Amino acid sequence: MRLVIARCSVDYMGRLTAHLPMAPRLILIKADGSVSVHADDRAYKPLNWMSPPCKLREETIDGVLTWSVVHSKSGEKLVLTIEEVLHDYSHELGVDPGLRKDGVEAHLQELLAEHITTLGDGWTLIRREYMTAIGPVDILCRDELGGTVAVEIKRRGEIDGVEQLTRYLELLNRDPRLAPVKGIFAAQEIRPQARVLAADRGIDCVILDYDALRGIERTDTLF
Amino acid sequence: MRLVIARCSVDYMGRLTAHLPMAPRLILIKADGSVSVHADDRAYKPLNWMSPPCKLREETIDGVLTWSVVHSKSGEKLVLTIEEVLHDYSHELGVDPGLRKDGVEAHLQELLAEHITTLGDGWTLIRREYMTAIGPVDILCRDELGGTVAVEIKRRGEIDGVEQLTRYLELLNRDPRLAPVKGIFAAQEIRPQARVLAADRGIDCVILDYDALRGIERTDTLF
DNA sequence: CGATGTATGTCGAGT
DNA sequence: ACTCGACGTACATCG
């Protein structure tokens, strides 16, 4: 990891063309080869950057220090013209042990599958990740009358999730062993427009309470 | 802008729960209040971060240095436990003059509207951003036989773009002054699955050559 | 303020 | 290697 603070101008020629006029900025060079140019705002997003794999070449042209970063595959190019280096510090960090995450969609799916009766008394799970030609349906189950139900789970329910479930339902309903298949769109939060579209398609909406589902799971292991 | 390299462990409690075990990392504190924790890889993306507006509080609990960053609106929390500070440097950068960009979707739409015959000889523009109840169609035009054509433009053509165009077509075809309306899905690059779905819906796909379109525009102003 | 569409999205998983 | 969907997506624009 190398940290350079310098007055520089930057030109990016790649998926788009962009230019940054001369100003003091942080240039961050990571061990994976990536280069990013940060201002003192915009949260963690750099003004400009190059992702690995790429190569940095330092050269002096007519007395002007220039750093050229070229992407090894696409040929995208980032050119930094350095006017003045204000700080330059390098430090070896080593490989990071990595991040452990909890609480994403996969977990929601797991929890709902284990507690499928959340959707209704007498409901039973057929299986999680039920495979179809166009991809896996999150949950396939039966309601209390034995009717097939396909459940699409999202953290936030938006229109494209309803479209996705619609495509699954269309396919599943071609299978005479399953048809008729009802749809349930389940999410922690469902956008009004998605709700309207779902209603129009005859799909039921269910709000999932993540904490409550997790609570069922952990009633025996509370602090 | 403050750059700290330190051995630290990190806990995030917010939209999800995450933990980073103790290891040396870069902690980047910007003037806008944002805090990000970087490893020596993963391009520009931090392992963990807090976006502004947020507040950083440094305190020592039982001899352990702790930085708590709390988001001012959502209450999300990032806690850094610092074991050893290896480098600590601050520098005022001032306000950045900002980035100038070229080459996005709006420009593609403009260019295609101006050169609608790219789609076919004798084609004519009805209008850009043709308004419907569910939103504006990118381009509405007539083919050489006077038939109405709705064009959806994307930089990258994916399934949801086809869905969007399908909804527009359904609506436009209810207008007897326009019907029948054909659909064209135009993009610099179209995903195979999007292409299949489009074919199934009777929608034509067109690949847009941004450089060529821009070339028509600039033949008189070359370097 | 919510809804919508773009992004140099990035990232990871599956094929 | 490529495709696809999720993301603590973030972000701007528009109603």
Short mmCIF file of all heavy atoms in Angstrom, two decimals, chain B residues 126-184:
data_model
loop_
_atom_site.label_atom_id
_atom_site.label_comp_id
_atom_site.label_asym_id
_atom_site.label_seq_id
_atom_site.Cartn_x
_atom_site.Cartn_y
_atom_site.Cartn_z
N ILE B 126 -40.25 10.74 -34.57
CA ILE B 126 -41.47 11.39 -34.07
C ILE B 126 -41.07 12.29 -32.91
O ILE B 126 -41.23 13.50 -32.96
CB ILE B 126 -42.54 10.37 -33.62
CG1 ILE B 126 -43.00 9.54 -34.83
CG2 ILE B 126 -43.73 11.09 -33.00
CD1 ILE B 126 -43.97 8.42 -34.48
N ARG B 127 -40.51 11.71 -31.85
CA ARG B 127 -39.87 12.52 -30.81
C ARG B 127 -39.07 11.68 -29.81
O ARG B 127 -39.28 10.49 -29.65
CB ARG B 127 -40.88 13.41 -30.07
CG ARG B 127 -41.91 12.68 -29.22
CD ARG B 127 -42.54 13.68 -28.27
NE ARG B 127 -41.50 14.24 -27.41
CZ ARG B 127 -41.62 15.39 -26.74
NH1 ARG B 127 -42.71 16.12 -26.86
NH2 ARG B 127 -40.64 15.80 -25.95
N ARG B 128 -38.15 12.38 -29.16
CA ARG B 128 -37.40 11.81 -28.07
C ARG B 128 -38.22 11.91 -26.80
O ARG B 128 -39.03 12.82 -26.67
CB ARG B 128 -36.11 12.65 -27.87
CG ARG B 128 -34.88 11.89 -28.10
CD ARG B 128 -33.66 12.67 -28.52
NE ARG B 128 -33.41 13.97 -27.97
CZ ARG B 128 -32.72 14.19 -26.84
NH1 ARG B 128 -32.29 13.19 -26.11
NH2 ARG B 128 -32.47 15.41 -26.45
N GLU B 129 -38.01 10.97 -25.83
CA GLU B 129 -38.70 11.04 -24.53
C GLU B 129 -40.20 11.18 -24.70
O GLU B 129 -40.84 12.02 -24.07
CB GLU B 129 -38.16 12.24 -23.72
CG GLU B 129 -36.66 12.22 -23.49
CD GLU B 129 -36.24 11.26 -22.38
OE1 GLU B 129 -37.11 10.83 -21.61
OE2 GLU B 129 -35.03 10.94 -22.31
N TYR B 130 -40.77 10.32 -25.58
CA TYR B 130 -42.22 10.32 -25.80
C TYR B 130 -42.91 9.86 -24.53
O TYR B 130 -42.71 8.74 -24.06
CB TYR B 130 -42.55 9.40 -26.99
CG TYR B 130 -44.02 9.37 -27.34
CD1 TYR B 130 -44.55 10.25 -28.28
CD2 TYR B 130 -44.88 8.46 -26.73
CE1 TYR B 130 -45.89 10.23 -28.59
CE2 TYR B 130 -46.23 8.44 -27.03
CZ TYR B 130 -46.73 9.32 -27.96
OH TYR B 130 -48.07 9.31 -28.28
N MET B 131 -43.77 10.71 -23.99
CA MET B 131 -44.34 10.44 -22.66
C MET B 131 -45.50 9.44 -22.70
O MET B 131 -46.36 9.53 -23.56
CB MET B 131 -44.83 11.76 -22.04
CG MET B 131 -44.82 11.72 -20.54
SD MET B 131 -43.20 11.26 -19.89
CE MET B 131 -43.59 10.75 -18.23
N THR B 132 -45.47 8.49 -21.79
CA THR B 132 -46.60 7.58 -21.60
C THR B 132 -46.97 7.61 -20.11
O THR B 132 -46.27 8.23 -19.32
CB THR B 132 -46.25 6.12 -21.95
OG1 THR B 132 -45.41 5.58 -20.92
CG2 THR B 132 -45.52 6.05 -23.29
N ALA B 133 -48.05 6.91 -19.78
CA ALA B 133 -48.52 6.90 -18.38
C ALA B 133 -47.48 6.32 -17.43
O ALA B 133 -47.42 6.70 -16.26
CB ALA B 133 -49.82 6.11 -18.27
N ILE B 134 -46.66 5.40 -17.94
CA ILE B 134 -45.69 4.77 -17.03
C ILE B 134 -44.27 5.29 -17.21
O ILE B 134 -43.34 4.75 -16.63
CB ILE B 134 -45.69 3.22 -17.17
CG1 ILE B 134 -45.45 2.80 -18.63
CG2 ILE B 134 -46.99 2.65 -16.67
CD1 ILE B 134 -45.22 1.31 -18.78
N GLY B 135 -44.13 6.35 -18.02
CA GLY B 135 -42.80 6.92 -18.18
C GLY B 135 -42.49 7.22 -19.65
O GLY B 135 -43.26 6.88 -20.54
N PRO B 136 -41.36 7.90 -19.89
CA PRO B 136 -41.04 8.30 -21.26
C PRO B 136 -40.35 7.17 -22.04
O PRO B 136 -39.47 6.49 -21.52
CB PRO B 136 -40.06 9.46 -21.05
CG PRO B 136 -39.40 9.17 -19.76
CD PRO B 136 -40.38 8.37 -18.92
N VAL B 137 -40.81 6.99 -23.30
CA VAL B 137 -40.12 6.07 -24.22
C VAL B 137 -38.93 6.84 -24.78
O VAL B 137 -39.06 8.00 -25.17
CB VAL B 137 -41.06 5.65 -25.37
CG1 VAL B 137 -40.34 4.73 -26.34
CG2 VAL B 137 -42.31 5.00 -24.82
N ASP B 138 -37.77 6.21 -24.85
CA ASP B 138 -36.55 6.92 -25.27
C ASP B 138 -36.74 7.59 -26.62
O ASP B 138 -36.51 8.79 -26.77
CB ASP B 138 -35.36 5.97 -25.34
CG ASP B 138 -34.86 5.57 -23.96
OD1 ASP B 138 -35.15 6.32 -23.01
OD2 ASP B 138 -34.20 4.54 -23.82
N ILE B 139 -37.13 6.81 -27.63
CA ILE B 139 -37.35 7.38 -28.97
C ILE B 139 -38.59 6.74 -29.58
O ILE B 139 -38.77 5.52 -29.52
CB ILE B 139 -36.13 7.11 -29.89
CG1 ILE B 139 -34.95 8.00 -29.48
CG2 ILE B 139 -36.48 7.35 -31.36
CD1 ILE B 139 -33.73 7.84 -30.36
N LEU B 140 -39.45 7.59 -30.16
CA LEU B 140 -40.57 7.09 -30.96
C LEU B 140 -40.33 7.57 -32.38
O LEU B 140 -40.04 8.76 -32.61
CB LEU B 140 -41.91 7.61 -30.42
CG LEU B 140 -43.13 6.79 -30.84
CD1 LEU B 140 -43.11 5.40 -30.20
CD2 LEU B 140 -44.43 7.50 -30.49
N CYS B 141 -40.40 6.67 -33.36
CA CYS B 141 -40.12 7.06 -34.74
C CYS B 141 -40.98 6.26 -35.71
O CYS B 141 -41.80 5.44 -35.29
CB CYS B 141 -38.63 6.87 -35.04
SG CYS B 141 -38.03 5.18 -34.83
N ARG B 142 -40.84 6.57 -37.01
CA ARG B 142 -41.57 5.82 -38.04
C ARG B 142 -40.57 5.16 -38.97
O ARG B 142 -39.55 5.75 -39.33
CB ARG B 142 -42.47 6.77 -38.86
CG ARG B 142 -43.59 7.38 -38.05
CD ARG B 142 -44.73 7.91 -38.91
NE ARG B 142 -45.75 8.53 -38.06
CZ ARG B 142 -46.66 7.82 -37.38
NH1 ARG B 142 -46.68 6.50 -37.47
NH2 ARG B 142 -47.55 8.45 -36.62
N ASP B 143 -40.90 3.93 -39.38
CA ASP B 143 -40.02 3.26 -40.33
C ASP B 143 -40.35 3.72 -41.75
O ASP B 143 -41.20 4.60 -41.94
CB ASP B 143 -40.10 1.73 -40.19
CG ASP B 143 -41.48 1.18 -40.47
OD1 ASP B 143 -42.27 1.87 -41.18
OD2 ASP B 143 -41.79 0.08 -39.99
N GLU B 144 -39.69 3.15 -42.75
CA GLU B 144 -39.83 3.64 -44.13
C GLU B 144 -41.25 3.43 -44.65
O GLU B 144 -41.65 4.06 -45.65
CB GLU B 144 -38.79 2.97 -45.04
CG GLU B 144 -39.05 1.52 -45.40
CD GLU B 144 -38.70 0.54 -44.27
OE1 GLU B 144 -38.28 1.02 -43.18
OE2 GLU B 144 -38.85 -0.68 -44.48
N LEU B 145 -42.05 2.56 -44.01
CA LEU B 145 -43.43 2.32 -44.45
C LEU B 145 -44.43 3.13 -43.63
O LEU B 145 -45.64 2.99 -43.80
CB LEU B 145 -43.75 0.83 -44.34
CG LEU B 145 -42.83 -0.10 -45.16
CD1 LEU B 145 -43.16 -1.56 -44.85
CD2 LEU B 145 -42.97 0.18 -46.65
N GLY B 146 -43.92 3.96 -42.70
CA GLY B 146 -44.80 4.77 -41.88
C GLY B 146 -45.26 4.10 -40.60
O GLY B 146 -46.06 4.65 -39.84
N GLY B 147 -44.78 2.88 -40.35
CA GLY B 147 -45.15 2.17 -39.12
C GLY B 147 -44.46 2.76 -37.90
O GLY B 147 -43.32 3.21 -37.99
N THR B 148 -45.17 2.76 -36.77
CA THR B 148 -44.60 3.32 -35.55
C THR B 148 -43.60 2.35 -34.91
O THR B 148 -43.85 1.15 -34.86
CB THR B 148 -45.71 3.62 -34.52
OG1 THR B 148 -46.82 4.21 -35.21
CG2 THR B 148 -45.21 4.53 -33.43
N VAL B 149 -42.49 2.91 -34.42
CA VAL B 149 -41.46 2.10 -33.76
C VAL B 149 -41.04 2.77 -32.46
O VAL B 149 -40.74 3.96 -32.44
CB VAL B 149 -40.22 1.92 -34.66
CG1 VAL B 149 -39.19 1.01 -33.97
CG2 VAL B 149 -40.59 1.35 -36.02
N ALA B 150 -41.06 1.99 -31.37
CA ALA B 150 -40.57 2.49 -30.08
C ALA B 150 -39.17 1.94 -29.87
O ALA B 150 -38.94 0.74 -30.02
CB ALA B 150 -41.49 2.05 -28.95
N VAL B 151 -38.23 2.83 -29.51
CA VAL B 151 -36.85 2.41 -29.31
C VAL B 151 -36.45 2.62 -27.85
O VAL B 151 -36.64 3.69 -27.30
CB VAL B 151 -35.88 3.22 -30.21
CG1 VAL B 151 -34.46 2.66 -30.08
CG2 VAL B 151 -36.33 3.19 -31.66
N GLU B 152 -35.97 1.54 -27.24
CA GLU B 152 -35.43 1.65 -25.88
C GLU B 152 -33.92 1.59 -25.99
O GLU B 152 -33.36 0.68 -26.59
CB GLU B 152 -35.95 0.51 -25.01
CG GLU B 152 -35.39 0.46 -23.60
CD GLU B 152 -35.79 1.66 -22.75
OE1 GLU B 152 -36.91 2.19 -22.95
OE2 GLU B 152 -34.97 2.09 -21.91
N ILE B 153 -33.25 2.60 -25.42
CA ILE B 153 -31.80 2.67 -25.52
C ILE B 153 -31.15 2.39 -24.18
O ILE B 153 -31.56 2.93 -23.16
CB ILE B 153 -31.35 4.06 -26.01
CG1 ILE B 153 -31.95 4.34 -27.39
CG2 ILE B 153 -29.82 4.14 -26.07
CD1 ILE B 153 -31.73 5.75 -27.85
N LYS B 154 -30.15 1.52 -24.21
CA LYS B 154 -29.38 1.25 -23.00
C LYS B 154 -27.92 1.21 -23.40
O LYS B 154 -27.59 0.99 -24.54
CB LYS B 154 -29.76 -0.11 -22.41
CG LYS B 154 -31.14 -0.18 -21.80
CD LYS B 154 -31.08 0.20 -20.33
CE LYS B 154 -32.43 0.12 -19.65
NZ LYS B 154 -33.22 1.36 -19.80
N ARG B 155 -27.04 1.44 -22.42
CA ARG B 155 -25.63 1.26 -22.71
C ARG B 155 -25.38 -0.25 -22.80
O ARG B 155 -24.85 -0.73 -23.78
CB ARG B 155 -24.77 1.89 -21.63
CG ARG B 155 -23.38 2.29 -22.11
CD ARG B 155 -22.61 2.96 -21.00
NE ARG B 155 -22.51 2.09 -19.86
CZ ARG B 155 -21.70 1.03 -19.81
NH1 ARG B 155 -20.94 0.73 -20.82
NH2 ARG B 155 -21.65 0.28 -18.73
N ARG B 156 -25.83 -0.97 -21.80
CA ARG B 156 -25.77 -2.43 -21.84
C ARG B 156 -27.17 -2.98 -21.80
O ARG B 156 -27.94 -2.66 -20.90
CB ARG B 156 -24.99 -2.95 -20.64
CG ARG B 156 -23.49 -3.06 -20.92
CD ARG B 156 -22.74 -3.36 -19.66
NE ARG B 156 -23.21 -4.58 -19.01
CZ ARG B 156 -22.83 -4.94 -17.79
NH1 ARG B 156 -22.02 -4.18 -17.10
NH2 ARG B 156 -23.28 -6.05 -17.27
N GLY B 157 -27.52 -3.81 -22.81
CA GLY B 157 -28.87 -4.35 -22.88
C GLY B 157 -29.01 -5.59 -22.03
O GLY B 157 -28.35 -6.58 -22.26
N GLU B 158 -29.88 -5.51 -21.00
CA GLU B 158 -30.13 -6.67 -20.16
C GLU B 158 -31.62 -6.94 -20.10
O GLU B 158 -32.42 -6.19 -20.65
CB GLU B 158 -29.54 -6.44 -18.76
CG GLU B 158 -28.04 -6.21 -18.87
CD GLU B 158 -27.35 -6.08 -17.52
OE1 GLU B 158 -27.78 -6.74 -16.57
OE2 GLU B 158 -26.37 -5.31 -17.44
N ILE B 159 -31.97 -8.02 -19.42
CA ILE B 159 -33.35 -8.47 -19.39
C ILE B 159 -34.33 -7.39 -18.96
O ILE B 159 -35.37 -7.21 -19.58
CB ILE B 159 -33.49 -9.72 -18.48
CG1 ILE B 159 -33.17 -10.98 -19.31
CG2 ILE B 159 -34.88 -9.83 -17.89
CD1 ILE B 159 -33.42 -12.27 -18.56
N ASP B 160 -34.00 -6.66 -17.92
CA ASP B 160 -34.97 -5.69 -17.41
C ASP B 160 -35.26 -4.58 -18.42
O ASP B 160 -36.34 -4.00 -18.41
CB ASP B 160 -34.56 -5.13 -16.05
CG ASP B 160 -33.16 -4.55 -16.07
OD1 ASP B 160 -32.47 -4.73 -17.11
OD2 ASP B 160 -32.76 -3.92 -15.10
N GLY B 161 -34.30 -4.30 -19.30
CA GLY B 161 -34.54 -3.33 -20.37
C GLY B 161 -35.60 -3.82 -21.34
O GLY B 161 -36.45 -3.06 -21.81
N VAL B 162 -35.55 -5.13 -21.64
CA VAL B 162 -36.55 -5.73 -22.52
C VAL B 162 -37.93 -5.69 -21.86
O VAL B 162 -38.93 -5.38 -22.50
CB VAL B 162 -36.17 -7.19 -22.88
CG1 VAL B 162 -37.23 -7.82 -23.77
CG2 VAL B 162 -34.81 -7.24 -23.55
N GLU B 163 -37.95 -5.97 -20.56
CA GLU B 163 -39.21 -5.91 -19.81
C GLU B 163 -39.80 -4.51 -19.87
O GLU B 163 -40.99 -4.31 -20.07
CB GLU B 163 -38.98 -6.30 -18.34
CG GLU B 163 -38.47 -7.72 -18.12
CD GLU B 163 -39.53 -8.78 -18.33
OE1 GLU B 163 -40.58 -8.48 -18.93
OE2 GLU B 163 -39.29 -9.94 -17.93
N GLN B 164 -38.93 -3.53 -19.68
CA GLN B 164 -39.36 -2.13 -19.69
C GLN B 164 -39.98 -1.78 -21.04
O GLN B 164 -41.09 -1.24 -21.11
CB GLN B 164 -38.13 -1.25 -19.43
CG GLN B 164 -38.44 0.18 -19.07
CD GLN B 164 -37.16 1.01 -18.97
OE1 GLN B 164 -36.06 0.47 -18.79
NE2 GLN B 164 -37.29 2.31 -19.09
N LEU B 165 -39.28 -2.14 -22.13
CA LEU B 165 -39.78 -1.87 -23.48
C LEU B 165 -41.10 -2.59 -23.72
O LEU B 165 -42.02 -2.04 -24.33
CB LEU B 165 -38.73 -2.27 -24.52
CG LEU B 165 -39.10 -2.08 -25.99
CD1 LEU B 165 -39.57 -0.67 -26.28
CD2 LEU B 165 -37.92 -2.43 -26.89
N THR B 166 -41.19 -3.83 -23.21
CA THR B 166 -42.44 -4.60 -23.35
C THR B 166 -43.61 -3.86 -22.73
O THR B 166 -44.69 -3.77 -23.33
CB THR B 166 -42.27 -5.98 -22.67
OG1 THR B 166 -41.15 -6.65 -23.25
CG2 THR B 166 -43.52 -6.82 -22.87
N ARG B 167 -43.39 -3.29 -21.53
CA ARG B 167 -44.46 -2.55 -20.87
C ARG B 167 -44.88 -1.34 -21.70
O ARG B 167 -46.06 -1.05 -21.85
CB ARG B 167 -44.03 -2.11 -19.47
CG ARG B 167 -43.90 -3.27 -18.48
CD ARG B 167 -43.81 -2.78 -17.03
NE ARG B 167 -42.59 -2.02 -16.73
CZ ARG B 167 -41.44 -2.57 -16.34
NH1 ARG B 167 -41.34 -3.88 -16.19
NH2 ARG B 167 -40.40 -1.82 -16.09
N TYR B 168 -43.89 -0.63 -22.25
CA TYR B 168 -44.19 0.53 -23.09
C TYR B 168 -45.00 0.11 -24.31
O TYR B 168 -45.99 0.76 -24.68
CB TYR B 168 -42.90 1.22 -23.57
CG TYR B 168 -42.18 1.99 -22.50
CD1 TYR B 168 -40.80 1.93 -22.35
CD2 TYR B 168 -42.89 2.82 -21.63
CE1 TYR B 168 -40.14 2.65 -21.39
CE2 TYR B 168 -42.24 3.54 -20.65
CZ TYR B 168 -40.86 3.45 -20.53
OH TYR B 168 -40.21 4.16 -19.56
N LEU B 169 -44.57 -0.98 -24.97
CA LEU B 169 -45.23 -1.43 -26.19
C LEU B 169 -46.69 -1.80 -25.92
O LEU B 169 -47.58 -1.47 -26.71
CB LEU B 169 -44.49 -2.63 -26.79
CG LEU B 169 -43.15 -2.29 -27.45
CD1 LEU B 169 -42.39 -3.55 -27.81
CD2 LEU B 169 -43.38 -1.42 -28.69
N GLU B 170 -46.90 -2.49 -24.79
CA GLU B 170 -48.25 -2.89 -24.40
C GLU B 170 -49.14 -1.65 -24.34
O GLU B 170 -50.25 -1.63 -24.86
CB GLU B 170 -48.17 -3.56 -23.04
CG GLU B 170 -49.35 -4.46 -22.72
CD GLU B 170 -49.23 -5.01 -21.31
OE1 GLU B 170 -48.11 -5.43 -20.94
OE2 GLU B 170 -50.24 -4.99 -20.59
N LEU B 171 -48.60 -0.61 -23.72
CA LEU B 171 -49.35 0.63 -23.54
C LEU B 171 -49.55 1.36 -24.87
O LEU B 171 -50.67 1.79 -25.19
CB LEU B 171 -48.58 1.54 -22.57
CG LEU B 171 -49.43 2.37 -21.63
CD1 LEU B 171 -50.10 1.46 -20.63
CD2 LEU B 171 -48.59 3.41 -20.93
N LEU B 172 -48.48 1.52 -25.63
CA LEU B 172 -48.55 2.27 -26.89
C LEU B 172 -49.51 1.61 -27.86
O LEU B 172 -50.21 2.29 -28.63
CB LEU B 172 -47.15 2.35 -27.52
CG LEU B 172 -46.13 3.21 -26.78
CD1 LEU B 172 -44.73 3.02 -27.36
CD2 LEU B 172 -46.52 4.69 -26.82
N ASN B 173 -49.57 0.27 -27.82
CA ASN B 173 -50.44 -0.45 -28.76
C ASN B 173 -51.92 -0.30 -28.44
O ASN B 173 -52.77 -0.71 -29.22
CB ASN B 173 -50.03 -1.93 -28.84
CG ASN B 173 -48.96 -2.14 -29.89
OD1 ASN B 173 -49.11 -1.71 -31.04
ND2 ASN B 173 -47.86 -2.77 -29.50
N ARG B 174 -52.21 0.29 -27.26
CA ARG B 174 -53.61 0.56 -26.93
C ARG B 174 -54.09 1.85 -27.60
O ARG B 174 -55.26 2.14 -27.64
CB ARG B 174 -53.79 0.70 -25.42
CG ARG B 174 -53.60 -0.61 -24.68
CD ARG B 174 -53.83 -0.41 -23.20
NE ARG B 174 -53.30 -1.55 -22.44
CZ ARG B 174 -53.10 -1.53 -21.12
NH1 ARG B 174 -53.38 -0.43 -20.43
NH2 ARG B 174 -52.61 -2.59 -20.50
N ASP B 175 -53.12 2.66 -28.11
CA ASP B 175 -53.45 3.92 -28.77
C ASP B 175 -53.68 3.65 -30.26
O ASP B 175 -52.74 3.36 -30.99
CB ASP B 175 -52.29 4.91 -28.58
CG ASP B 175 -52.61 6.29 -29.14
OD1 ASP B 175 -53.52 6.39 -30.01
OD2 ASP B 175 -51.97 7.26 -28.70
N PRO B 176 -54.94 3.77 -30.72
CA PRO B 176 -55.26 3.42 -32.11
C PRO B 176 -54.55 4.31 -33.13
O PRO B 176 -54.34 3.89 -34.27
CB PRO B 176 -56.78 3.61 -32.17
CG PRO B 176 -57.13 4.49 -31.03
CD PRO B 176 -56.12 4.23 -29.96
N ARG B 177 -54.12 5.50 -32.71
CA ARG B 177 -53.41 6.37 -33.66
C ARG B 177 -51.99 5.88 -33.91
O ARG B 177 -51.36 6.20 -34.90
CB ARG B 177 -53.34 7.81 -33.12
CG ARG B 177 -54.69 8.51 -33.11
CD ARG B 177 -54.58 9.76 -32.24
NE ARG B 177 -54.04 9.41 -30.91
CZ ARG B 177 -53.67 10.30 -30.00
NH1 ARG B 177 -53.75 11.59 -30.26
NH2 ARG B 177 -53.22 9.90 -28.83
N LEU B 178 -51.46 5.09 -32.97
CA LEU B 178 -50.08 4.61 -33.10
C LEU B 178 -50.02 3.14 -33.54
O LEU B 178 -49.16 2.75 -34.31
CB LEU B 178 -49.35 4.76 -31.76
CG LEU B 178 -49.21 6.19 -31.22
CD1 LEU B 178 -48.58 6.16 -29.83
CD2 LEU B 178 -48.37 7.04 -32.16
N ALA B 179 -50.93 2.31 -33.01
CA ALA B 179 -50.88 0.86 -33.23
C ALA B 179 -50.93 0.53 -34.72
O ALA B 179 -51.61 1.23 -35.48
CB ALA B 179 -52.02 0.19 -32.48
N PRO B 180 -50.24 -0.51 -35.16
CA PRO B 180 -49.36 -1.35 -34.36
C PRO B 180 -47.99 -0.72 -34.17
O PRO B 180 -47.44 -0.13 -35.09
CB PRO B 180 -49.25 -2.62 -35.21
CG PRO B 180 -49.39 -2.14 -36.61
CD PRO B 180 -50.29 -0.93 -36.56
N VAL B 181 -47.45 -0.86 -32.98
CA VAL B 181 -46.13 -0.30 -32.67
C VAL B 181 -45.11 -1.43 -32.53
O VAL B 181 -45.32 -2.37 -31.76
CB VAL B 181 -46.16 0.50 -31.34
CG1 VAL B 181 -44.81 1.14 -31.08
CG2 VAL B 181 -47.26 1.54 -31.38
N LYS B 182 -44.04 -1.36 -33.30
CA LYS B 182 -42.94 -2.32 -33.21
C LYS B 182 -41.94 -1.85 -32.15
O LYS B 182 -41.89 -0.66 -31.83
CB LYS B 182 -42.20 -2.42 -34.55
CG LYS B 182 -42.83 -3.37 -35.54
CD LYS B 182 -41.81 -3.82 -36.61
CE LYS B 182 -40.57 -2.97 -36.73
NZ LYS B 182 -39.53 -3.58 -37.57
N GLY B 183 -41.13 -2.76 -31.65
CA GLY B 183 -40.14 -2.39 -30.65
C GLY B 183 -38.73 -2.66 -31.13
O GLY B 183 -38.47 -3.64 -31.83
N ILE B 184 -37.83 -1.73 -30.81
CA ILE B 184 -36.40 -1.96 -31.07
C ILE B 184 -35.63 -1.74 -29.78
O ILE B 184 -35.82 -0.73 -29.09
CB ILE B 184 -35.87 -1.03 -32.17
CG1 ILE B 184 -36.39 -1.51 -33.54
CG2 ILE B 184 -34.34 -1.01 -32.18
CD1 ILE B 184 -35.74 -0.82 -34.71
#
